[in-house]
Amino acid sequence: MKRIGNLFDKVFSIDNLLAAYEDARKGKRNKRACFEFERHLGARIMCLHKALLAGTYRPQPYHKFTVMEPKEREIYAPAFADVVVQHAIYRVIYPLFDRTFIATSFACRKGYGTHRASDYTQQAMRRCSGEEYFLQLDVRKFFYSIDRAVLQGQIERKIKDRRLVEVMMLFAEYEEPIGIPIGNLLSQIYALIYLNSLDHYVKRVLKIRQYVRYVDDFVLIGLTREQCLSCRLRIIEFLRNELRLELSKTTIQKIRRGINFVGYRTWRTCRVIRKYSLYKFRRRVRSSDLQAVISLLGHAKRTQSLRYMLNLIMEVNRALFLQVPQSLRSVHSLPAAAA
């Protein structure tokens, strides 16, 4: 892998910090922290610039809080100034690492969201008979198990600018001996970098043609049962020896049984959203939470669940239905009375 140097001055130039601020403020213009930073924008950018060049920059303490969906997680929210610094790093390093990722590594990549991951999964299933098997694996407590020394080594194999790597690793610091905080922008690309070697191992060494990964959940499609068992053992060994990770669960089933992946239950002929998402949708419809309803409809846009969800809105809250964008209402034809 070709290593790239002399990036520090480019990443933390005045121009790049200003562009990073514009990225960081998207969707946050009504937040007090963004407003306060913008009030003295020139001075704040110059202060960050000088601290970074002098080597005295340190991130501010995180604001910690817990979310319960889909499962309990502790989130570490950085200060707005630190978000700007992370965006400045991200703007430069993302293209460098993105070209090293395989085409079926999804999440936190531009144009590689859950819809595209689900589309690829269904296409891979259709290339197989329903009697072949899939192997689905999940890493145990992934973000909390990342070995920071291993991560730094992976970053240094691409970036030889020591000063930049040192600043990048400031955002991987965590209160435990291993793990990185959930909530940083850079934690997302760190997750991609960390499991990139697994992707190449599965494709190049195990020679699996149909493989898809979304963060720490990955599926090998179109195998015999014996191949599933063999691949599982070899992946366990690779994760333990190379990345210091363990698996949390394994699923080996025939493709005709369907794959539960990236929020969808997918078969070769159809796709639906998970039951829990439907449960949340009913609650949001009854509470007239338009933003959440539209978000869940967008999630279900290319599934057989959408018609049911639109009809549910009509039954429970007709006024809310009229506020749903026409692009979502017209995806599946509804009865004339509903339209």
Side-chain angles (χ1 to χ4, degrees), residues 172-286:
E173 291 182 356
Y174 191 56
E175 54 202 15
E176 300 294 334
I178 61 172
I180 63 174
I182 299 175
N184 279 328
L185 170 67
L186 291 180
S187 292
Q188 300 174 9
I189 193 169
Y190 291 165
L192 284 166
I193 294 168
Y194 202 78
L195 286 181
N196 189 37
S197 59
L198 169 67
D199 298 337
H200 288 279
Y201 176 75
V202 172
K203 297 293 288 185
R204 297 184 181 189
V205 179
L206 300 185
K207 306 292 185 183
I208 303 301
R209 293 184 61 189
Q210 296 172 134
Y211 164 80
V212 55
R213 178 173 67 83
Y214 193 92
V215 192
D216 60 338
D217 190 3
F218 50 103
V219 190
L220 291 67
I221 302 170
L223 311 179
T224 65
R225 182 171 178 80
E226 290 71 25
Q227 285 176 315
C228 288
L229 294 171
S230 173
C231 287
R232 179 180 178 274
L233 290 176
R234 296 179 70 180
I235 288 172
I236 288 174
E237 183 180 5
F238 179 86
L239 290 174
R240 182 189 301 121
N241 295 338
E242 301 295 327
L243 300 176
R244 314 290 188 264
L245 298 174
E246 296 180 357
L247 295 178
S248 65
K249 63 181 180 181
T250 301
T251 302
I252 299 175
Q253 286 186 347
K254 289 187 176 182
I255 290 171
R256 61 178 172 79
R257 297 283 301 274
I259 300 177
N260 192 347
F261 183 59
V262 294
Y264 301 97
R265 181 74 172 170
T266 303
W267 291 266
R268 295 168 69 240
T269 57
C270 66
R271 189 186 329 173
V272 298
I273 65 173
R274 289 173 176 168
K275 289 183 179 179
Y276 181 70
S277 296
L278 284 175
Y279 167 73
K280 285 201 302 183
F281 181 75
R282 293 189 195 98
R283 290 174 54 192
R284 299 298 184 261
V285 170
R286 292 190 175 97

Side-chain angles (χ1 to χ4, degrees), residues 123-130 132 210 221-223 255 268:
Q123 291 163 10
M125 294 170 73
R126 287 171 175 170
R127 287 192 286 267
C128 305
S129 73
E132 292 177 90
Q210 296 172 134
I221 302 170
L223 311 179
I255 290 171
R268 295 168 69 240

Side-chain angles (χ1 to χ4, degrees), residues 76-87:
Y76 291 70
F80 186 80
D82 299 324
V83 175
V84 172
V85 174
Q86 291 188 59
H87 272 282

Side-chain angles (χ1 to χ4, degrees), residues 85-133:
V85 174
Q86 291 188 59
H87 272 282
I89 297 170
Y90 186 87
R91 285 172 54 82
V92 175
I93 70 163
Y94 173 81
L96 304 180
F97 282 101
D98 186 64
R99 66 186 63 149
T100 70
F101 301 148
I102 67 171
T104 56
S105 169
F106 296 90
C108 309
R109 296 177 66 189
K110 297 170 184 176
Y112 283 75
T114 55
H115 286 292
R116 188 166 177 179
S118 183
D119 288 344
Y120 173 83
T121 303
Q122 189 170 54
Q123 291 163 10
M125 294 170 73
R126 287 171 175 170
R127 287 192 286 267
C128 305
S129 73
E131 297 305 309
E132 292 177 90
Y133 286 81

